[in-house]
Amino acid sequence: DRYRLLVTLPRDLAPGEYTVWAHNGYGGPVGWGGGVKLRVERGTAWPDRVVNVRTLGARGDDVTDDSDAFRRALETAERQGGGVVMVPAGTYRLAGPVRVPKRVVIRGEGKDLTWLKWPLVAPRAPSDFIPAALTVGGEVGIERLSIMVRNAQNVIRTAGKERARDVFLRELRVHYLPWAGRPGNDPEKDPQWAFSKWGIINGTEKDVAVLVRGID
């Protein structure tokens, strides 16, 4: 399109370094641009073994706290070197920060069917805010689900400041609701009014739904 060129590389393309040129369709010889170096490397397949959160005790009924079962599923996938943590249709209530291990894909059944919901309890103090709902390093995927969070500084963020690679967010809906709620009769006494004092806003890394940095 006007700002990018999308190319599918042939599967039999030999690994190596290539020089890529593109023509914009106008201007004859002067329409060429590029000379960009492109290194093609053979990809490493991620494990595809499936761990279902329901088999480890998750209910997905929007009532039960599914935090332990959800973490057990992630830990099981991590022990086997990666895989798919399958989250069937339902609403899963979670609490506290959750770390997504490398080469693990959290996969739902669709944005309208699978929900991860951090308890929608109105935050009343700084201690009510966790740093992030989901923390990712490199080589992770989150796809085909919706996330609703009220009590975190970030919904999804990369861990630390080291560079990471291969973070895939596909078919993902994020509802980030730290300020949700009806104002009181004296709004200046509402907790939301004081969020800036807590550092929830007016920062470069807080009150951001998805904080993915240092990604290759």
Side-chain angles (χ1 to χ4, degrees):
D1 58 27
R2 187 175 299 177
Y3 302 104
R4 64 181 179 175
L5 176 64
L6 301 179
V7 178
T8 300
L9 301 182
R11 288 186 176 273
D12 59 354
L13 183 65
E17 188 172 272
Y18 295 81
T19 302
V20 180
W21 293 82
H23 197 282
N24 63 9
Y26 302 94
V30 298
W32 286 100
V36 176
K37 299 294 183 182
L38 174 67
R39 175 172 294 278
V40 176
E41 298 178 352
R42 187 69 61 199
T44 301
W46 292 9
D48 57 3
R49 185 175 176 181
V50 176
V51 179
N52 193 310
V53 297
R54 291 287 184 94
T55 63
L56 293 175
R59 301 287 297 274
D61 57 9
D62 199 16
V63 176
T64 306
D65 185 345
D66 290 322
S67 303
D68 289 343
F70 198 80
R71 289 187 176 91
R72 282 198 300 271
L74 292 170
E75 291 166 0
T76 300
E78 183 177 26
R79 285 195 299 270
Q80 63 190 26
V84 176
V85 172
M86 187 65 194
V87 190
T91 299
Y92 300 81
R93 283 189 170 266
L94 304 173
V98 173
R99 179 183 65 89
V100 185
K102 282 191 174 183
R103 297 195 176 184
V104 169
V105 176
I106 299 176
R107 179 178 297 155
E109 289 193 297
K111 290 188 295 184
D112 296 323
L113 299 176
T114 300
W115 288 80
L116 305 183
K117 181 188 291 186
W118 271 254
L120 296 184
V121 178
R124 309 294 299 182
S127 58
D128 291 340
F129 284 82
I130 58 177
L134 292 169
T135 301
V136 302
E139 300 179 76
V140 300
I142 305 172
E143 59 188 29
R144 303 193 67 204
L145 52 81
S146 292
I147 303 175
M148 184 180 294
V149 175
R150 188 168 183 180
N151 62 332
Q153 294 175 6
N154 307 123
V155 178
I156 301 170
R157 69 175 296 155
T158 47
K161 295 186 177 181
E162 297 183 2
R163 298 193 69 81
R165 61 179 298 169
D166 296 340
V167 175
F168 299 95
L169 307 178
R170 304 186 182 100
E171 300 179 59
L172 180 68
R173 174 195 289 128
V174 175
H175 286 192
Y176 184 43
L177 310 170
W179 297 276
R182 177 180 295 178
N185 293 329
D186 190 354
E188 292 187 13
K189 293 182 180 179
D190 291 343
Q192 291 89 338
W193 194 274
F195 281 1
S196 59
K197 298 178 183 178
W198 300 348
I200 305 303
I201 63 173
N202 298 331
T204 57
E205 298 184 355
K206 298 176 180 177
D207 84 308
V208 178
V210 179
L211 176 61
V212 178
R213 60 185 174 190
I215 293 296
D216 295 327

